[in-house]
Amino acid sequence: MAGRGRGGVVTRLLGQHPAIEVETDDRGWPVGLRWSGVREPVETCNHWRIEESWWRRPLVRDYFKVVGPRMLALVYRDVLDGTWHLERLYD
């Protein structure tokens, strides 16, 4: 799924949210991503937490918009199980 935003930016929302390996700093924020065998150093542009569906299966995620030399991406950490996932790539 892709859409055009301001300035002709195209985003790719990844349906499966693939698991990724993430190196973090002392705060637990991403400083490096590994996806499909490639490592990318990154800096965090933005961070927020969502907590939803407490009446069913709880959903708690820490989201990070990150930028690296070759990518701008949205990643999240599932707070409940500790896994990291890639949700969106910005072209």
Side-chain angles (χ1 to χ4, degrees):
M1 178 181 237
R4 286 221 178 260
R6 289 187 179 169
V9 174
V10 175
T11 66
R12 288 180 280 155
L13 180 61
L14 305 174
Q16 296 299 316
H17 300 180
I20 57 174
E21 294 177 42
V22 176
E23 299 166 38
T24 60
D25 64 12
D26 293 340
R27 299 175 295 176
W29 289 24
V31 294
L33 307 179
R34 184 174 299 280
W35 179 52
S36 296
V38 177
R39 184 190 180 280
E40 178 87 5
V42 296
E43 294 182 30
T44 298
C45 302
N46 200 357
H47 167 257
W48 66 96
R49 175 174 279 190
I50 64 164
E51 296 186 46
E52 298 180 348
S53 304
W54 55 266
W55 62 92
R56 297 184 309 213
R57 180 183 166 264
L59 174 72
V60 183
R61 293 178 178 170
D62 282 325
Y63 277 89
F64 298 87
K65 186 180 269 188
V66 297
V67 63
R70 297 178 305 259
M71 73 162 49
L72 177 61
L74 181 62
V75 301
Y76 67 86
R77 181 177 65 90
D78 185 315
V79 175
L80 301 176
D81 69 13
T83 59
W84 286 88
H85 300 270
L86 179 62
E87 183 170 304
R88 183 181 301 264
L89 291 171
Y90 298 85
D91 293 332

